Amino acid sequence: MTVISILILQSIVVVVHEFTHSTTAYFLGEMKNPLGIIWGNPVMMTGWDEGVDYNRIFAQGHDLHGAFIGVLPLIMHSIVACICLFFMTTGRLRNKWEYHSAFWLAVVNLMELVAYIYMRAFANHGDVGLFNKGMDLSPWWVFLIGGAFVSYLLWLLLSKALPELLKLFAVDNIICGWAVLILSSSILFLWGSGLRVLFYIDGPQRLFGVVGVLLFAFSLFVFKPRSSIH
């Protein structure tokens, strides 16, 4: 059930991510048809492209447009993750299936933030690279400030929301508790970021994929479930 939920939510998030790019470009007059994205594999998250001609945008001096088009999906992911974490950590979700949906929706949105802000803040391409280019910013600003923000959201997810999820679904079930932690940490630090960087990116930037593997191990050590959850 959890794996199916993740695959569905991940596919939705990937599609919404690309349409956020294209729709923003459309409203800024940089794209004729917001439906003109390039569709890829929604499970493997490969082959996708928003269909925005960033080379033309920057060549015409529309740097702010390029920055805004590039970064808006990350703002969207941040808002969705914050809303989910707010409802989960303030006791506003009483139904366990609502909590289940909010938790995994937060995970797949945080997966995107980890992939772009942790792993690709220094890349000269991709969403953060476009934002840095359009705003003429050093990548250190996004990496440090954005990284601190994402770290706080991850801490809320794993230290506050995860124990509540286990109370609803895995009381005194240590095997189920470990399964949920391993699955969520894998999505956050390996599936959507660490392994993809290791497999698809060359050069020094590839070292960030190793960081993803280390973060995965760190999360298992720090947030490991206890034998009894009360």
Side-chain angles (χ1 to χ4, degrees), residues 13 17 72-82 108-109 112-113:
V13 165
H17 179 107
L72 195 61
L74 302 185
I75 296 175
M76 179 270 295
H77 293 311
S78 299
I79 292 173
V80 173
C82 285
V108 294
N109 278 278
E112 296 287 339
L113 296 177

Side-chain angles (χ1 to χ4, degrees), residues 38-229:
I38 298 173
W39 292 76
N41 188 320
V43 177
M44 300 302 296
M45 297 182 292
T46 56
W48 292 89
D49 189 82
E50 58 265 36
V52 178
D53 189 352
Y54 290 104
N55 290 329
R56 176 190 59 77
I57 291 173
F58 285 112
Q60 292 178 344
H62 300 169
D63 291 6
L64 292 180
H65 283 188
F68 193 60
I69 295 167
V71 80
L72 195 61
L74 302 185
I75 296 175
M76 179 270 295
H77 293 311
S78 299
I79 292 173
V80 173
C82 285
I83 291 173
C84 291
L85 288 167
F86 172 78
F87 280 102
M88 286 189 290
T89 58
T90 55
R92 285 172 166 78
L93 295 179
R94 302 295 183 183
N95 184 285
K96 70 177 187 177
W97 299 113
E98 291 176 352
Y99 205 100
H100 165 90
S101 300
F103 182 86
W104 295 109
L105 182 60
V107 167
V108 294
N109 278 278
L110 282 169
M111 171 189 71
E112 296 287 339
L113 296 177
V114 170
Y116 282 102
I117 295 177
Y118 274 9
M119 303 292 167
R120 286 180 275 179
F122 294 92
N124 57 10
H125 56 83
D127 296 359
V128 176
L130 293 167
F131 177 72
N132 292 333
K133 180 178 180 179
M135 299 297 292
D136 193 23
L137 288 175
S138 165
W140 282 101
W141 288 106
V142 172
F143 183 71
L144 294 177
I145 297 176
F149 170 70
V150 174
S151 296
Y152 175 67
L153 296 185
L154 289 170
W155 178 79
L156 285 178
L157 179 82
L158 296 174
S159 69
K160 302 296 183 182
L162 178 60
E164 292 301 317
L165 181 74
L166 298 185
K167 286 181 182 179
L168 294 171
F169 287 93
V171 174
D172 294 326
N173 188 333
I174 193 67
I175 295 177
C176 186
W178 273 109
V180 173
L181 175 61
I182 291 172
L183 185 57
S184 55
S185 296
S186 297
I187 295 168
L188 290 168
F189 304 119
L190 298 180
W191 177 249
S193 52
L195 294 180
R196 293 177 63 79
V197 171
L198 284 173
F199 291 154
Y200 296 114
I201 295 181
D202 296 322
Q205 187 74 19
R206 192 179 185 186
L207 293 175
F208 282 95
V210 178
V211 174
V213 176
L214 295 177
L215 287 172
F216 169 73
F218 177 80
S219 66
L220 298 188
F221 176 76
V222 174
F223 301 106
K224 56 186 175 183
R226 309 301 177 182
S227 58
S228 181
I229 302 167

